[in-house]
């Protein structure tokens, strides 16, 4: 890059230099991440309870981060405690993942997944893929972006289902209670496209999207005259509409556990 002539266009030189520096920083970051994870894994191996966790050797893995693909090794352990096996449903464990609470969306770090999801909320999957590829050390396709969004959506759905189950068992509780809750609900019917429009049943030629909002009313703040107090929105599509009333009830419970 330093061989560019002074007669070359300056913006081209600056852009190329910026990309090279960013790539260099990302490469250093990946090596530091690998070194830190493997050093911690060795420390865990040395300090573990050997009567419970039998070392079965190192396993190589890779996850996608904002710096690029990070490849590292961590030890796999066989569990010799029946109580732990029954509680977790697993006979083997990576203690490094357990200690760190290491969390990924598939093979994608949550930091990268968050960046993808935030961008996908304001632009197309193709444009999101382009932005992520240009601004991070990771290359991703529009299909990869779609997969991340679906995985995040599935996690949110699981969390909501757990909340509904807790509500069913009367396990939700908190300090905030109100006798009156203001709520508003509506639905939007979206015509189906493509091959779906040829369905003969007129009742299923449209897709329903329902939304609901509840709050405790309005309150004044230091910056604006009024805002909704403890506003809780929720939404459901037609294929899960049978759970929608329960989701609304759970939204009410959100107000009781703030």
């Amino acid at each position: 890059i330093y061989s560019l002539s002074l007669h070359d266009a300056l913006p081209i030189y600056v852009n190329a230099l910026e990309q090279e520096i960013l790539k260099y920083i990302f490469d250093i970051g990946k090596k530091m991440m690998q070194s830190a994870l493997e050093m911690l894994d060795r420390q865990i191996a040395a300090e573990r309870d050997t009567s419970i966790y039998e070392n079965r050797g190192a396993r190589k893995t890779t996850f996608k981060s904002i710096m690029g693909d990070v490849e590292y090794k961590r030890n796999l352990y066989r569990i010799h405690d029946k109580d732990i096996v029954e509680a977790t449903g697993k006979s083997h464990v990576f203690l490094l993942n357990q200690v760190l609470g290491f969390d990924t969306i598939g093979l994608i770090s949550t930091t990268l997944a968050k960046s993808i999801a935030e961008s996908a909320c304001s632009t197309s999957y193709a444009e999101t893929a382009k932005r992520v590829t240009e601004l991070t050390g990771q290359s991703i396709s529009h299909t990869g972006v779609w997969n991340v969004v679906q995985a995040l959506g599935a996690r949110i759905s699981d969390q909501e289902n757990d909340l509904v189950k807790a509500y069913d068992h009367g396990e939700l509780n908190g300090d905030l209670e109100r006798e009156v809750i203001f709520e508003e609900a509506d639905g939007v019917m979206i015509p189906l496209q493509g091959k779906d429009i040829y369905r003969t049943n007129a009742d299923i030629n449209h897709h329903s999207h329902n939304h609901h909002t509840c709050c405790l009313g309005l309150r004044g703040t230091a910056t604006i005259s009024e805002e909704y107090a403890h506003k809780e929105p929720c939404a459901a599509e037609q294929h899960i509409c049978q759970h929608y009333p329960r989701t609304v009830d759970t939204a009410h419970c959100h107000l009781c556990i703030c």
Side-chain angles (χ1 to χ4, degrees):
I1 190 170
Y2 297 105
S3 63
L4 288 174
S5 170
L6 293 177
H7 298 290
D8 293 328
L10 184 58
I12 296 177
Y13 176 84
V14 172
N15 291 341
L17 180 60
E18 183 180 41
Q19 291 298 321
E20 287 297 316
I21 292 175
L22 189 62
K23 181 177 180 298
Y24 178 73
I25 293 173
F26 283 154
D27 287 341
I28 294 176
K30 289 188 293 184
K31 292 178 180 178
M32 292 177 64
M33 176 70 78
Q34 177 190 23
S35 177
L37 291 174
E38 292 182 348
M39 180 177 64
L40 180 58
D41 189 62
R42 291 193 295 270
Q43 181 179 349
I44 293 172
E47 297 178 359
R48 78 186 193 282
D49 188 337
T50 56
S51 65
I52 297 178
Y53 299 103
E54 175 191 353
N55 194 333
R56 304 294 292 177
R59 302 290 191 275
K60 184 183 295 184
T61 188
T62 302
F63 75 94
K64 297 181 180 297
S65 73
I66 57 174
M67 300 173 290
D69 291 351
V70 177
E71 185 177 288
Y72 65 101
K73 294 180 180 179
R74 78 273 198 244
N75 288 304
L76 176 67
Y77 300 92
R78 182 177 179 181
I79 305 174
H80 290 283
D81 187 308
K82 292 183 179 180
D83 292 336
I84 297 178
V85 173
E86 291 178 358
T88 61
K90 298 178 180 179
S91 60
H92 293 74
V93 64
F94 291 104
L95 288 180
L96 177 65
N97 293 6
Q98 182 175 296
V99 169
L100 293 179
F102 200 64
D103 198 12
T104 60
I105 307 298
L107 295 176
I108 298 179
S109 71
T110 50
T111 302
L112 178 60
K114 181 180 178 181
S115 299
I116 292 173
E118 289 177 347
S119 178
C121 287
S122 59
T123 187
S124 67
Y125 290 163
E127 182 61 29
T128 295
K130 181 180 178 181
R131 289 182 182 180
V132 171
T133 301
E134 291 178 349
L135 299 178
T136 71
Q138 190 58 249
S139 176
I140 190 170
S141 66
H142 68 280
T143 303
V145 172
W146 185 88
N147 289 334
V148 171
V149 172
Q150 298 305 308
L152 287 172
R155 287 198 173 192
I156 294 174
S157 179
D158 289 341
Q159 292 173 357
E160 291 179 345
N161 289 335
D162 290 341
L163 195 57
V164 170
K165 291 178 181 178
Y167 170 68
D168 287 338
H169 293 86
E171 296 174 355
L172 296 177
N173 56 77
D175 299 327
L176 181 59
E177 295 184 4
R178 286 295 179 92
E179 295 182 358
V180 178
I181 294 179
F182 299 92
E183 57 184 335
E184 179 180 358
D186 202 351
V188 178
M189 299 298 294
I190 304 174
L192 297 175
Q193 301 180 12
K195 62 182 180 180
D196 293 324
I197 64 175
Y198 300 108
R199 294 179 180 177
T200 57
N201 188 343
D203 294 335
I204 59 174
N205 282 338
H206 290 75
H207 187 81
S208 175
H209 182 85
N210 306 301
H211 60 86
H212 171 274
T213 301
C214 59
C215 67
L216 298 184
L218 297 174
R219 65 183 177 189
T221 69
T223 56
I224 58 177
S225 58
E226 290 181 336
E227 70 173 7
Y228 289 107
H230 297 286
K231 181 177 180 180
E232 290 290 343
C234 62
E237 294 185 4
Q238 188 176 35
H239 67 285
I240 56 171
C241 62
Q242 65 270 24
H243 301 301
Y244 182 66
R246 313 306 303 281
T247 308
V248 171
D249 286 341
T250 306
H252 292 174
C253 291
H254 270 293
L255 297 174
C256 297
I257 60 176
C258 293

